[in-house]
Amino acid sequence: MTYIYAFLFVGFLCLIAQVIIDNTCLTFGHVTSMFVVLGAVLGFFDIYDKIIELAGAGASLPITSFGNLLYHAGLDGYLENGILGIFQNMLTTTSAGITATIVFAFIMTLIFKPKD
Amino acid sequence: MDKEQYSKLVKKHTPKEDRFLNAVKAFVFGGLLGVLAEAIMELIRNVFDLPILDATVWMMIIFIFSACLLTALGVFDKLTNFLKAAIIIPITGFAHSVTSAALDYKQDGLIQGIGSNCFKLAGSVLLYGIIGAFILVLVGVLINV
């Protein structure tokens, strides 16, 4: 059942993104930025956690998960250490994704030549 | 009359089916990627006996590594032409945007090229993600106080 929900959720997000890109003048950059904020909003209303319960790791894959993680990390930080905690905690859970991206992107850039 | 005919002609030749096909492709392949993510996570969890959270992070790292490698090999752009939004919306799109920006500006050197430009595209995701989350945390705190 988790697989079906994962299929539906990620597929649905990609579908929305594709429809927006094909029918408006917005680019992938616009859509991904919107989706990150959308993820944070879904996290705000505690909807994203329920989606993760249903769709499992599939729900962690789209960029919306990034916004959700940022929001929850910020909130946890506030509960731990007040306003200062928001600043201290904001990037904790997304750190793996960002660090992995930077490390692998850098290594690949050093090894490979750009293709046109 | 001429204008009408023209607009009819335009309508006829606007790739309408294409948009529909694109949407279907994005849905199906995006969904399959979600299923793959869940399957990889389950595999890692069972093989290495890890908690779900750790296995999820390993799964994301695998996806990010694959996206960076495919981008560097020049395969990712071809995949995007075919799979459409299906690999842009997942975390692979984020990894791709960093790698492709870094590769494009590699000729300008380590600092002014790679360093200054690697977040050219992914920067907006980080910026608006953090700003949005920050504002929402403040709003949530203010509501609950």
Side-chain angles (χ1 to χ4, degrees):
Chain A
M1 208 56 198
T2 312
Y3 289 97
I4 296 170
Y5 282 124
F7 183 90
L8 290 177
F9 179 67
V10 184
F12 182 62
L13 280 181
C14 295
L15 174 75
I16 298 174
Q18 190 61 46
V19 168
I20 292 174
I21 287 158
D22 278 348
N23 295 295
T24 63
C25 52
L26 298 178
T27 63
F28 278 122
H30 291 98
V31 176
T32 43
S33 303
M34 276 160 47
F35 273 28
V36 173
V37 178
L38 174 74
V41 172
L42 289 178
F44 180 77
F45 291 108
D46 282 330
I47 301 171
Y48 212 90
D49 285 343
K50 277 165 199 149
I51 297 174
I52 289 180
E53 255 171 50
L54 288 174
S60 307
L61 193 65
I63 200 76
T64 43
S65 151
F66 201 75
N68 172 55
L69 287 175
L70 284 172
Y71 169 75
H72 278 294
L75 187 66
D76 289 346
Y78 177 81
L79 296 176
E80 249 175 54
N81 207 3
I83 296 289
L84 182 64
I86 306 178
F87 291 100
Q88 287 173 320
N89 240 40
M90 182 63 89
L91 289 165
T92 45
T93 41
T94 45
S95 166
I98 297 173
T99 310
T101 305
I102 293 174
V103 169
F104 294 137
F106 187 68
I107 294 172
M108 297 301 171
T109 309
L110 290 184
I111 297 174
F112 291 92
K113 287 203 171 95
K115 307 248 191 318
D116 40 24
Chain B
M1 193 61 184
D2 247 8
K3 264 188 185 172
E4 242 173 56
Q5 277 179 337
Y6 179 72
S7 62
K8 264 184 191 170
L9 207 71
V10 167
K11 245 186 194 173
K12 200 181 154 194
H13 287 279
T14 311
K16 213 173 188 183
E17 303 89 346
D18 250 2
R19 284 185 192 173
F20 182 71
L21 191 68
N22 283 351
V24 171
K25 272 184 189 170
F27 179 70
V28 172
F29 292 120
L32 287 177
L33 222 61
V35 171
L36 184 67
E38 174 70 15
I40 290 176
M41 191 280 283
E42 283 292 336
L43 186 73
I44 294 170
R45 190 166 76 101
N46 290 327
V47 171
F48 297 101
D49 200 22
L50 287 171
I52 288 185
L53 225 71
D54 288 4
T56 305
V57 174
W58 274 116
M59 177 274 291
M60 303 253 284
I61 291 174
I62 289 171
F63 267 89
I64 289 168
F65 176 80
S66 323
C68 290
L69 184 65
L70 289 176
T71 306
L73 292 171
V75 182
F76 201 95
D77 284 329
K78 283 170 201 152
L79 282 177
T80 316
N81 286 339
F82 186 68
L83 304 176
K84 305 292 170 190
I87 49 174
I88 298 291
I89 295 307
I91 193 83
T92 47
F94 183 75
H96 163 69
S97 62
V98 175
T99 314
S100 63
L103 271 173
D104 283 348
Y105 289 90
K106 189 184 177 184
Q107 57 190 19
D108 295 342
L110 283 176
I111 306 298
Q112 301 224 305
I114 300 174
S116 310
N117 291 297
C118 68
F119 279 106
K120 206 165 195 168
L121 302 160
S124 65
V125 170
L126 285 176
L127 172 68
Y128 292 109
I130 292 175
I131 295 292
F134 190 81
I135 292 172
L136 283 168
V137 170
L138 287 184
V139 169
V141 166
L142 287 175
I143 288 173
N144 284 328
V145 160

